[in-house]
């Protein structure tokens, strides 16, 4: 097509071809990255509006979806366009909206639901601390305490208990997604007792005890966390009969004796010095030959490095922690006086890094 300006017959087609960026060009890729905060906002908005819950098995027109969600048709269309462009919901041939694999994960009743995680990712505190990432990079420490006057978990517990509850739900759901994989990969041959350190409500320990009927378990976490331990671990029943719940703080002491200690998604919350001290506290009560197994993402072997690298930044800005490479984990173990044994894949996003307490067994 010939592009004409008033009073001109100049063909500008060739020039246009030269100046319009290609879809995969560096300028457009950088533009997309720079405005990707809009994607977080879109997914969080979808979760808050309950779009995935009001959309059933049959596609809905935009007008029907807006009515069910209590939203305005035109702005909802803007939101759905952005979501569908990234595979969250899909557009049918007649322009209606239907579920995609990802949108189903925003349903509150979906097994493996990620709705709580989506709400947490777009929580007000998240926007505030992400906006100060450059300060965290300059200072080398997190900005949460400076922003809110206290550490993350204290803030959630004392000032925003509803968000604290949401955080617990998100972590439990994330834990469910990997608990089975970790349990399958965890070698517990000739193991009498497994201690889940920082084990939350006991999602992983429950999976271990269900599949290893000869194993005893110990769940260790903060008092306010263990008070809400899974009913099958805390109440009457066969699993509870094999589980002891111990309340405490890894920053003070870990008075637990076991054959295998598991720390899943714990060390990445802390800087190196704090992580080393926690490992040392575990080692003080552990018998010689006891195994300490860390279940986390590993930066240099992560199948989803684009996710792990962003979580690495989130740990920095929120708690001063970090994701680590295999070599960095090995250095942590060495500093804590433990002998590194190697890495075991689980078939999920996390790997098992194992160390042993030295001495005569």
């Amino acid at each position: 097509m010939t592009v004409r300006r008033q009073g001109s017959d100049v063909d500008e087609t060739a020039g246009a071809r030269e100046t319009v960026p290609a879809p995969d060009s560096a300028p457009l890729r950088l533009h997309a990255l720079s405005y990707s905060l809009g994607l977080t906002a879109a997914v969080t908005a979808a979760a808050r509006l309950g779009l995935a819950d009001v959309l059933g098995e049959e596609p809905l027109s935009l007008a029907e979806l807006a009515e069910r969600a209590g939203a305005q048709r035109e702005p909802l269309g803007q939101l759905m366009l952005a979501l569908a462009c990234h595979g969250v919901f899909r557009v049918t041939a007649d322009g209606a909206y239907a579920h995609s694999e990802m949108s189903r994960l925003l349903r509150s009743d979906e097994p493996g639901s990620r709705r709580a995680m989506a709400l947490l990712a777009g929580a007000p505190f998240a926007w505030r601390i992400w906006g100060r990432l450059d300060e965290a990079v300059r200072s080398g420490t997190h900005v949460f305490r400076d922003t809110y006057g206290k550490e993350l978990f204290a803030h959630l517990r004392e000032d925003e208990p509803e968000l604290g509850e949401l955080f617990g739900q998100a972590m439990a759901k994330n834990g469910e997604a990997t608990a089975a994989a970790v349990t399958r990969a965890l070698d517990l041959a000739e193991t009498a007792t497994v201690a889940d350190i920082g084990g939350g409500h006991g999602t992983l320990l429950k999976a271990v005890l269900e599949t290893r009927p000869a194993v005893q378990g110990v769940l260790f976490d903060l008092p306010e966390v263990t008070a809400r331990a899974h009913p099958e671990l805390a109440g009457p029943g066969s699993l509870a009969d094999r589980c002891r719940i111990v309340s405490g703080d890894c920053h003070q002491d870990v008075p637990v004796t076991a054959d295998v200690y598991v720390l899943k998604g714990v060390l990445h919350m802390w800087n190196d010095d704090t992580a080393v001290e926690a490992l040392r506290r575990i080692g003080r009560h552990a018998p010689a030959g006891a195994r300490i197994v860390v279940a986390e993402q590993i930066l240099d072997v992560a199948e989803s490095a684009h996710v792990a690298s962003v979580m690495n930044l989130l740990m920095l800005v929120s708690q001063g922690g970090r994701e680590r490479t295999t070599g960095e984990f090995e250095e942590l173990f060495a500093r804590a006086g433990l002998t590194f044994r190697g890495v075991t894949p689980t078939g999920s996003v996390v790997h098992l890094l194992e160390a042993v307490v030295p001495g005569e067994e």
Side-chain angles (χ1 to χ4, degrees), residues 67-272:
E67 181 178 359
R68 293 192 185 186
Q72 296 298 310
R73 182 181 179 279
E74 186 173 335
L76 180 61
Q78 293 175 261
L79 174 61
M80 295 303 293
L81 174 62
L83 291 166
C85 278
H86 290 84
V88 184
F89 300 103
R90 62 182 179 85
V91 184
T92 65
D94 59 355
Y97 288 96
H99 271 301
S100 67
E101 185 178 5
M102 281 197 289
S103 69
R104 288 186 182 279
L105 293 174
L106 290 177
R107 291 186 61 91
S108 55
D109 60 354
E110 181 75 9
S113 171
R114 292 296 188 277
R115 182 173 183 271
M117 179 272 295
L119 290 170
L120 188 67
F125 79 84
W127 292 107
R128 288 189 68 184
I129 60 176
W130 274 124
R132 300 181 65 183
L133 176 59
D134 59 316
E135 297 176 41
V137 171
R138 287 192 183 97
S139 66
T141 187
H142 71 90
V143 297
F144 195 97
R145 182 175 53 245
D146 184 55
T147 303
Y148 287 95
K150 56 188 68 174
E151 301 292 337
L152 170 64
F153 293 114
H155 172 79
L156 294 179
R157 181 176 65 251
E158 299 167 9
D159 301 332
E160 296 193 76
E162 291 185 1
L163 270 181
E165 174 65 22
L166 184 66
F167 185 94
Q169 292 173 12
M171 295 305 101
K173 284 297 184 181
N174 287 348
E176 289 173 6
T178 53
V182 169
T183 300
R184 286 192 299 268
L186 190 59
D187 179 8
L188 296 179
E190 301 180 6
T191 298
T193 305
V194 173
D196 191 356
I197 307 301
H201 299 159
T203 300
L204 175 59
L205 187 60
K206 176 177 174 289
V208 169
L209 296 180
E210 285 175 337
T211 57
R212 311 300 209 286
V215 170
Q216 300 286 317
V218 180
L219 178 64
F220 180 88
D221 212 314
L222 296 168
E224 58 269 21
V225 178
T226 56
R228 305 181 66 183
H230 197 288
E232 291 189 41
L233 300 180
S238 58
L239 293 186
D241 292 342
R242 293 191 284 125
C243 180
R244 184 165 63 96
I245 296 178
V246 179
S247 299
D249 188 344
C250 289
H251 299 300
Q252 298 176 7
D253 194 17
V254 186
V256 174
T257 300
D259 302 307
V260 175
Y261 298 81
V262 180
L263 295 92
K264 181 175 179 291
V266 175
L267 294 189
H268 75 157
M269 296 188 296
W270 302 326
N271 61 34
D272 288 352

Side-chain angles (χ1 to χ4, degrees), residues 2-20:
T2 300
V3 179
R4 298 182 183 275
R5 295 176 182 164
Q6 187 173 3
S8 173
D9 292 329
V10 178
D11 186 344
E12 297 182 354
T13 305
R17 280 198 294 262
E18 292 174 1
T19 58
V20 174

